[in-house]
Amino acid sequence: MHDDFVQSRSRLLHRAPRWLDAQRIRAYAAFVLLVNIGYFSLRIWLGAIDPVPNVSPPGWDFAVFWSASWLALHGPAVNAFDTALIEPIALPLQNMLPSAFVTPWTYPPTFLLVMLPAALLPFQVSCVAYLLAGTAFAFKACARILPPVRDLSWWLPVVAFPAIWVTVGAGQNSFLTFALMGLGLVCLERRPWLAGILFGLLAIKPQLGLMIPVALVFGRNWRAFISAALSVGVFCALSGFVLGFGTFARFAEALPAFSQFVVQYSDRWPRGILTVFGTARHFGVAVPTAYLLHAIMAALAASAVAWLWATRASFELRASALVLATLLVPTYLMPYDLLLLGLPILWLVRDGTRNGWIRGDAVAMVSAWLSPVVSYTPGGWAAGAYVPFIVFALLLVVMRRYVVQRAVSANTCACMVEAEEHSSTVSRL
């Protein structure tokens, strides 16, 4: 009887595939790390040392943040939303010439408040300080997820994750959003009020917080939900008092204009928009149909989150589903946003180490780990069109693991009941 259960479990869950053992993982990661360093060095050379027009040096997106900070410090904060004012400051820092692809500030006042001190330092110094602080915060989240290991080489796949280098190259806020999401989920069970505060701080990039209320409501995490709502309210109020509440009105005006700009160029966006909407537009689908296809994918992703959180799946699977749905729901996503993929990959590694693997898991996880390299491709080749399918495949991996683990658990309970009945019968005899 026990042997039957073990055999049924072995048919469902396996060891990690041989092509992904520890030694090979380190070798693959080392190779990808060299590619990352090579591309990063090339951007430094062509963007700063021997500049070529329209080749941006590392920190090209931080140039927008720094420029918005400078405008807010030297005049009304609403000036940050004026493209005519921000481009003359940002474009020289980006080594870019004026083009149809504008450089606007489209972030909410909450993020402008966070970035307000940036221009107190020279651009290069401020950029380095910002990235070091964000990287430390993100690695703190990784350390809370990964089990303690003595062999530091296990950190090699983390350091080699291409999204880290894409984020550093852009000077983006993805390290901050990664840490807020990761640490918020880590704290959820034991410190729900702190988790809610961390989730509330994601108001710096609201589109990445759309799935959090769904998860908290269906998971019945009411204290975290209340804490998150209060944190958002306090954060917005503080931003209004410091920057002026007129910044919220300007932000509301800037959003439709930027959305229209994205739609206008969505069929020829450099390297693609990494969403179902962007994929559909890349292949020539009309805008209304592209929105419909995206809405279907978003509904599927949200349903997966609701199901896994309502049925109290294991923490690793619930957290992974939430992050993956966060990447599938917005219509606009860039390669640096894929840093969030590191969270479900880490949690699935932990879950697989504990519960075993299913065939196909490793392929989906490695594909997701490699997917940010779309940022290295030529601008005319929209390799990002395939990224949403990789993210959705990883979500399917999470759901399949839950179904299999529930089946294994049910078999375990059935075997235990049958064994107890058998033992009782024998004792009576």
Side-chain angles (χ1 to χ4, degrees):
M1 190 183 311
H2 178 266
D3 292 340
D4 292 341
F5 166 67
V6 171
Q7 292 176 4
S8 65
R9 186 181 188 278
S10 65
R11 286 195 295 269
L12 297 173
L13 300 170
H14 311 267
R15 293 182 179 179
R18 292 182 179 178
W19 61 271
L20 209 60
D21 59 25
Q23 185 175 357
R24 288 184 175 89
I25 288 175
R26 295 187 186 100
Y28 302 151
F31 173 77
V32 174
L33 180 59
L34 290 176
V35 173
N36 291 328
I37 294 173
Y39 182 81
F40 190 75
S41 302
L42 189 64
R43 292 300 292 262
I44 293 176
W45 183 268
L46 298 179
I49 298 176
D50 187 15
V52 174
N54 292 327
V55 176
S56 296
W60 56 267
D61 228 6
F62 183 80
V64 180
F65 303 166
W66 190 90
S67 302
S69 168
W70 192 93
L71 289 171
L73 289 172
H74 292 82
V78 293
N79 287 345
F81 294 93
D82 191 333
T83 303
L85 293 177
I86 203 169
E87 283 200 338
I89 304 173
L91 289 178
L93 299 174
Q94 296 174 318
N95 191 36
M96 296 292 289
L97 301 174
S99 68
F101 283 88
V102 296
T103 306
W105 173 268
T106 55
Y107 293 88
T110 47
F111 186 53
L112 184 57
L113 177 65
V114 172
M115 295 308 304
L116 188 61
L120 295 175
L121 296 172
F123 170 70
Q124 289 83 359
V125 177
S126 183
C127 184
V128 171
Y130 169 80
L131 287 173
L132 287 176
T135 303
F137 197 22
F139 272 86
K140 173 67 174 178
C142 290
R144 293 291 302 274
I145 297 171
L146 284 172
V149 290
R150 295 181 179 178
D151 187 356
L152 294 180
S153 65
W154 275 108
W155 279 90
L156 184 59
V158 176
V159 176
F161 183 33
I164 290 178
W165 295 82
V166 173
T167 301
V168 171
Q172 254 290 339
N173 59 15
S174 301
F175 288 125
L176 181 55
T177 55
F178 177 98
L180 291 173
M181 179 74 81
L183 291 174
L185 286 167
V186 166
C187 296
L188 183 59
E189 299 295 335
R190 295 184 178 181
R191 305 176 72 181
W193 292 103
L194 176 59
I197 293 172
L198 294 170
F199 290 148
L201 292 176
L202 279 170
I204 62 173
K205 207 164 186 178
Q207 68 269 32
L208 298 183
L210 294 175
M211 285 292 98
I212 290 175
V214 175
L216 297 182
V217 168
F218 279 90
R220 298 179 292 281
N221 300 100
W222 303 117
R223 285 180 292 177
F225 182 87
I226 294 171
S227 175
L230 291 174
S231 298
V232 171
V234 171
F235 198 7
C236 290
L238 181 61
S239 302
F241 281 119
V242 174
L243 303 173
F245 287 94
T247 54
F248 284 93
R250 290 296 297 272
F251 174 61
E253 295 172 2
L255 278 183
F258 184 70
S259 298
Q260 184 179 1
F261 169 76
V262 170
V263 170
Q264 181 182 356
Y265 291 98
S266 56
D267 58 341
R268 52 188 186 277
W269 199 276
R271 300 177 185 86
I273 297 173
L274 313 184
T275 64
V276 172
F277 171 78
T279 297
R281 291 292 295 142
H282 170 67
F283 289 109
V285 176
V287 172
T289 306
Y291 274 125
L292 176 61
L293 293 173
H294 187 91
I296 293 172
M297 176 65 80
L300 291 173
S303 299
V305 172
W307 178 49
L308 291 173
W309 283 75
T311 54
R312 303 297 294 177
S314 69
F315 168 77
E316 289 82 4
L317 298 184
R318 281 184 288 137
S320 297
L322 171 57
V323 177
L324 291 168
T326 295
L327 294 172
L328 289 169
V329 168
T331 56
Y332 178 78
L333 204 72
M334 290 289 102
Y336 46 74
D337 292 315
L338 296 179
L339 185 68
L340 283 176
L341 276 175
L343 292 172
I345 291 173
L346 289 174
W347 275 312
L348 285 173
V349 167
R350 196 166 77 176
D351 187 68
T353 303
R354 181 187 304 131
N355 298 315
W357 299 95
I358 308 173
R359 287 189 178 91
D361 286 1
V363 174
M365 291 172 62
V366 171
S367 298
W369 185 80
L370 284 171
S371 62
V373 299
V374 298
S375 183
Y376 299 165
T377 59
W381 182 45
Y386 306 97
V387 169
F389 299 106
I390 295 174
V391 177
F392 187 65
L394 198 58
L395 180 59
L396 292 178
V397 164
V398 172
M399 296 172 67
R400 184 176 65 162
R401 289 188 65 82
Y402 172 61
V403 172
V404 169
Q405 289 176 17
R406 190 168 63 173
V408 170
S409 178
N411 287 340
T412 303
C413 293
C415 288
M416 291 178 62
V417 170
E418 189 174 347
E420 290 178 359
E421 291 177 350
H422 178 73
S423 176
S424 177
T425 301
V426 171
S427 64
R428 285 197 301 268
L429 293 175

